[in-house]
């Protein structure tokens, strides 16, 4: 099962909105086939695993045990049901890390296999499997995306000068790590001030990987069209209170909300099938997510040798617990979860 999880991770950031899944076929403690879901819309892990078995070992399939990190699907989506493939190949034993919470599956795959007499074992490395697909499970159980807050601050807890002028806080290696983070999420979000003063591209140009969907809040549509966000190079959605539709390659999504935009925004993201969002600023937007307890993870980068003095205060986390730290040069990266 650990091998299944290793395989599944190989395509992090490439299979959403599907979950990452790995599968291993074992005959008498020897792996004879393995596979993983490689791209949304393409073959699932079980298919790739069974197809990887050599001709010399094909006869062993019906005497083997299939290990899979998530319950096999039982419905027709972009691909046929994996449960049917398992039954077709007469695999007698299936070991599953965790059940799939997606409504079209949710126990139906296990039931289908059990009905034909296949021996099922579940719950093996379940905690690790749930952690692997935390974005997928959060999206389908809470009906909102998995929210990751991220910011960089000086040692004296400032994120910018008072006049919003740019300050280089993180080093080049940390910047590449941040771009790797971007490649792993479905979307990236900034507020109006960050878009205006920083003019960010919000791409993965320092890391090989897909660009997330760019999201920006611009209630009154005051942001100039000359910003990098509106260059048409990456899918971009503007959440506002004025108009809807497509214009010059940009999607405008109207939110009918009062001062508190977060609930409406999260609902819109769910309707848009966006499973995870990296919130990169600014301070007011990040603090809004914190104050309303609408976050699942926070990654805070502190340059321990930089002091800005008078400047814009960094967001303040509340009711959190530290789960990981990493040091890159003078940058201390801390990861938190809500208490």
């Amino acid at each position: 099962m650990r091998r299944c999880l290793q395989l599944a991770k190989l395509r992090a950031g490439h299979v959403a909105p599907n979950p990452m899944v790995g599968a291993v076929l074992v005959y008498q403690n020897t792996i004879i086939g393995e596979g993983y879901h490689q791209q949304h819309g393409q073959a699932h892990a079980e298919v790739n695993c069974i197809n990887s078995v050599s001709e010399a070992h094909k006869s062993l399939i019906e005497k083997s045990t299939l290990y899979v990190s998530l319950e096999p699907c039982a419905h027709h989506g972009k691909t046929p049901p994996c449960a049917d493939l398992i039954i077709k190949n007469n695999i007698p034993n299936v070991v599953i890390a965790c059940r799939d919470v997606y409504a079209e599956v949710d126990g139906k795959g296990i039931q289908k296999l059990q009905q034909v007499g296949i021996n099922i074992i579940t719950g093996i490395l379940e905690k690790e499997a749930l952690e692997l697909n935390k974005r997928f499970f959060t999206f389908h159980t809470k009906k909102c995306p998995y929210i990751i807050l991220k910011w960089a601050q000086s040692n004296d807890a400032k994120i910018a000068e008072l006049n919003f002028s740019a300050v280089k806080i993180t080093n080049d290696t940390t910047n590449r790590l941040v771009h790797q983070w971007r490649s792993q999420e479905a979307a990236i979000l900034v507020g109006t001030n960050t878009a205006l003063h920083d003019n960010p591209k919000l791409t993965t140009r320092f890391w090989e990987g897909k660009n997330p969907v760019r999201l920006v809040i611009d209630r009154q549509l005051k942001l100039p069209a000359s910003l990098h966000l509106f260059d048409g190079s990456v899918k971009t959605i503007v959440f506002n209170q004025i108009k809807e539709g497509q214009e010059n390659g940009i999607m405008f999504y109207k939110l009918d909300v009062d001062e508190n935009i977060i609930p409406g925004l999260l609902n819109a993201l769910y309707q848009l099938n966006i499973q995870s969002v990296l919130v990169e600023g600014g301070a007011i937007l990040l603090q809004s997510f914190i104050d309303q307890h609408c976050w699942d993870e926070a990654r805070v980068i502190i340059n321990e040798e930089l002091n800005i003095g008078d400047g814009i205060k960094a967001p303040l986390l509340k009711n959190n617990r530290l789960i990981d730290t990493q040091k890159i040069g003078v940058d201390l990266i801390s990861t938190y979860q809500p208490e």
Side-chain angles (χ1 to χ4, degrees), residues 11 46 175 190 192 238 250 261 284 310:
R11 295 302 284 172
E46 298 92 328
N175 288 341
V190 293
T192 309
V238 180
I250 306 300
I261 198 172
I284 294 175
D310 289 337

Side-chain angles (χ1 to χ4, degrees), residues 145-174:
Y146 187 89
I147 301 296
I148 301 173
L149 309 180
K150 171 264 166 184
W151 70 87
Q153 65 182 60
S154 62
N155 196 50
D156 57 350
K158 305 297 192 305
I159 64 170
E161 301 277 5
L162 282 176
N163 62 359
F164 293 98
S165 61
V167 178
K168 182 174 171 56
I169 296 178
T170 54
N171 61 52
D172 291 343
T173 303
T174 301

Side-chain angles (χ1 to χ4, degrees), residues 1 4 21-24 45-46 66-72 86 94-98:
M1 191 59 77
C4 289
V21 184
V24 172
E46 298 92 328
L66 178 68
Y67 292 79
V68 61
S69 59
L70 186 69
E71 175 185 2
I86 295 169
V94 178
V95 180
I96 300 167
C98 64

Side-chain angles (χ1 to χ4, degrees), residues 30-216:
T30 299
I31 293 176
I32 63 170
E34 59 181 32
Y36 52 95
H37 186 33
Q38 299 183 19
Q39 193 76 36
H40 177 242
Q42 296 181 9
H44 288 185
E46 298 92 328
V47 177
N48 290 328
C49 176
I50 293 171
N51 287 343
S52 76
V53 178
S54 67
E55 285 299 325
H57 291 148
K58 292 288 187 186
S59 62
L60 302 179
I61 293 177
E62 61 182 24
K63 304 172 187 176
S64 299
T65 298
L66 178 68
Y67 292 79
V68 61
S69 59
L70 186 69
E71 175 185 2
C73 62
H75 68 293
H76 284 271
K78 291 184 178 295
T79 60
C82 290
D84 290 357
L85 181 67
I86 295 169
I87 294 169
K88 179 182 177 181
N89 281 273
N90 297 312
I91 298 173
N93 306 295
V94 178
V95 180
I96 300 167
C98 64
R99 183 165 164 166
D100 192 337
V101 297
Y102 180 49
E104 294 291 334
V105 185
D106 198 11
K108 298 181 180 70
I110 293 173
Q111 182 181 39
K112 198 169 198 177
L113 297 176
Q114 288 177 328
Q115 286 176 341
V116 297
I118 293 175
N119 180 46
I120 302 292
I121 297 175
T122 61
I124 306 301
L125 297 186
E126 182 177 35
K127 181 179 178 181
E128 291 85 343
L130 291 171
E131 173 66 19
L132 173 67
N133 282 306
K134 56 191 175 184
R135 297 159 181 81
F136 176 81
F137 288 112
T138 295
F139 184 80
H140 288 289
T141 57
K142 296 184 178 180
K143 310 300 183 186
C144 72
Y146 187 89
I147 301 296
I148 301 173
L149 309 180
K150 171 264 166 184
W151 70 87
Q153 65 182 60
S154 62
N155 196 50
D156 57 350
K158 305 297 192 305
I159 64 170
E161 301 277 5
L162 282 176
N163 62 359
F164 293 98
S165 61
V167 178
K168 182 174 171 56
I169 296 178
T170 54
N171 61 52
D172 291 343
T173 303
T174 301
N175 288 341
R176 284 194 289 274
L177 176 62
V178 170
H179 282 230
Q180 181 187 14
W181 292 347
R182 290 178 177 179
S183 74
Q184 295 169 348
E185 308 310 328
I188 182 169
L189 171 68
V190 293
T192 309
N193 284 335
T194 298
L196 182 62
H197 296 290
D198 293 356
N199 192 18
K201 294 180 180 178
L202 304 183
T203 61
T204 58
R205 59 196 179 279
F206 299 148
W207 188 265
E208 184 178 349
K210 70 171 184 60
N211 289 307
V213 176
R214 300 186 296 201
L215 312 174
V216 60

